[in-house]
Amino acid sequence: MADNTTHTPNALNPEAVFRAHGGQMRMSEALAAGLNRYQLYRLRDAGVIEPISRGLYRLAELPPVTQPDLLAVASRYPKAVLCLISALAWHGITTQIPHRIHLAVNRRTRLPDMDYPPVQGYRFSQAAFEAGIEQNELDGTTLNVYNPEKTLADCFKYRHKIGQDITLEALQLYKQRCKVKPAEIMRYARLCRVDNIMRPYLEAGL
């Protein structure tokens, strides 16, 4: 009797599925691509893939991940944007070491929630959420980050939550380390409704 069972290439070569996706996949992506949990666990136990965070796997032969926490967050929440102290750290305009990864989402979106790495979510209005986003490649994954000028405006808006001292330090480090764009800062300040608050600091030598 003829065997009418068909086998997909994905089922026969799970490692090739990872290669076709750049060497990195979430479990949900792997399942959608035709793999099953047994195949994933077998690859993991054989050392072919390694877990980067819960539910995120990467071919072990790839170069080491440079920032696994940010990679995990970007993979779990691809539409979220790195903001506030985390964005300051990304741009090198703070001396603070973030204890949580600060993420902005659209105000109609559920706040990010992860056990590890710990995250702190903020809901932005649609206009404030969409403005000033830079896209950066991070170990094969896109990481959204607000540009320095938008980040400064956000920090002034949330200065009572993150600390006035951190906000003012960021402004000074921005002046020292970045190409200063006063007009851009004020554009984002107006969007965040902190232009009257920021203007004296800008006029005082920035």
Side-chain angles (χ1 to χ4, degrees), residues 83-102:
C83 67
L84 299 174
I85 299 177
S86 294
L88 293 178
W90 176 268
H91 294 298
I93 51 176
T94 185
T95 60
Q96 302 297 311
I97 299 176
H99 298 293
R100 292 176 175 270
I101 297 178
H102 291 202

Side-chain angles (χ1 to χ4, degrees), residues 132-202:
I133 297 175
E134 295 178 345
Q135 292 189 322
N136 301 271
E137 194 277 332
L138 180 66
D139 296 303
T141 297
T142 298
L143 175 68
N144 300 315
V145 186
Y146 286 121
N147 65 36
E149 293 75 27
K150 171 60 160 50
T151 300
L152 288 174
D154 288 335
C155 287
F156 268 86
K157 182 174 182 178
Y158 288 91
R159 64 194 182 281
H160 297 305
K161 287 189 176 182
I162 68 172
Q164 179 85 352
D165 55 336
I166 294 175
T167 300
L168 296 181
E169 179 200 51
L171 191 60
Q172 291 305 313
L173 291 177
Y174 169 83
K175 177 182 176 181
Q176 297 169 14
R177 300 175 180 178
C178 300
K179 181 180 179 180
V180 179
K181 301 177 181 178
E184 283 292 287
I185 295 176
M186 287 309 300
R187 181 167 71 88
Y188 293 121
R190 286 190 291 272
L191 179 64
C192 295
R193 300 180 181 179
V194 291
D195 47 315
N196 290 334
I197 296 171
M198 292 191 71
R199 185 174 287 110
Y201 294 100
L202 299 179

Side-chain angles (χ1 to χ4, degrees), residues 14 18 27 36-53 55-60:
F18 269 83
M27 178 176 285
N36 57 54
R37 294 175 186 271
Y38 173 74
Q39 289 170 311
L40 288 176
Y41 297 149
R42 187 168 60 181
L43 288 177
R44 180 199 62 190
D45 294 343
V48 176
I49 62 174
E50 58 185 1
I52 302 302
S53 66
L56 177 63
Y57 296 90
R58 180 179 175 90
L59 286 174

